[in-house]
Amino acid sequence: FEFWGREIADYETEVISFRVLLFDDGSSQITPTPTTTSIPPPGITTITPVSPIPVGGNTSTVLIFDTSGSMDEPDASGVNKLQAARQSGDRILDILEAERQAGSAISQISLVAFSTWARIDLGLTSDISAARAALQNLYADDRTGMPDGLQTGIDLLANDPLGAKPVIILLSDGLPNVG
């Protein structure tokens, strides 16, 4: 997995690669490896091509939201970070709903939130309306326990009775500072 966080003030970004090891006994180990990369100042747009992850078919997707206190702050554009994450989550739900309506895939969605601790706000379900409602109930508080959020998402997918293709999407503004 590779995730990006952006610090506008010093024009650098943190790239965090997570090595996720899944063991035969069902346990897992997550090791983050942050590196720093320079980015252009605000107002200069660069486009980095990103290869799409070929998923296709039935999926079980866990949206993992950072709900730490810093997510209650505005981003560089002035938008509240948690609101921006909610909007991104809503777009993902639009895609899953369109796939279902087209009959091209059966998808399940789950929402996990983490701050100091991780919690499951919505277990795996195909109910997009319930997922949209859960998105609106997210609130920012405390610290950033990213490893617990990731572990909770992995555990949800490991116990998926449908055995669909697992997808984890992490929405966060920074590095873990708990766990």
Side-chain angles (χ1 to χ4, degrees):
F1 301 107
E2 195 165 89
F3 307 102
W4 291 79
R6 186 169 180 179
E7 294 292 333
I8 295 300
D10 59 10
Y11 309 118
E12 290 185 344
T13 187
E14 290 276 340
V15 177
I16 308 169
S17 298
F18 288 88
R19 181 175 181 196
V20 180
L21 299 175
L22 302 174
F23 300 104
D24 290 337
D25 66 0
S27 64
S28 61
Q29 177 185 356
I30 304 169
T31 308
T33 308
T35 57
T36 302
T37 305
S38 295
I39 61 170
I44 298 175
T45 304
T46 59
I47 298 173
T48 304
V50 176
S51 300
I53 299 171
V55 176
N58 301 338
T59 60
S60 292
T61 302
V62 179
L63 298 179
I64 303 176
F65 286 87
D66 178 349
T67 56
S68 64
S70 64
M71 293 293 285
D72 207 21
E73 300 169 0
D75 64 15
S77 69
V79 175
N80 175 286
K81 294 176 194 176
L82 186 55
Q83 184 58 34
R86 279 190 198 112
Q87 290 169 351
S88 296
D90 209 35
R91 283 188 218 115
I92 293 165
L93 294 176
D94 289 343
I95 293 167
L96 294 176
E97 191 168 42
E99 287 177 346
R100 185 180 57 198
Q101 289 174 354
S104 62
I106 298 172
S107 300
Q108 296 186 102
I109 189 77
S110 177
L111 270 70
V112 170
F114 68 88
S115 56
T116 303
W117 298 275
R119 67 180 187 274
I120 299 170
D121 284 351
L122 181 69
L124 284 169
T125 181
S126 59
D127 187 346
I128 299 294
S129 296
R132 288 188 199 284
L135 273 178
Q136 297 312 309
N137 291 326
L138 296 174
Y139 59 91
D141 190 29
D142 288 328
R143 302 190 63 196
T144 310
M146 192 181 294
D148 286 343
L150 284 168
Q151 187 62 59
T152 301
I154 290 168
D155 292 346
L156 271 169
L157 293 173
N159 296 316
D160 178 9
L162 298 181
K165 293 177 185 171
V167 177
I168 291 178
I169 300 173
L170 174 69
L171 297 104
S172 178
D173 70 345
L175 295 171
N177 62 19
V178 174

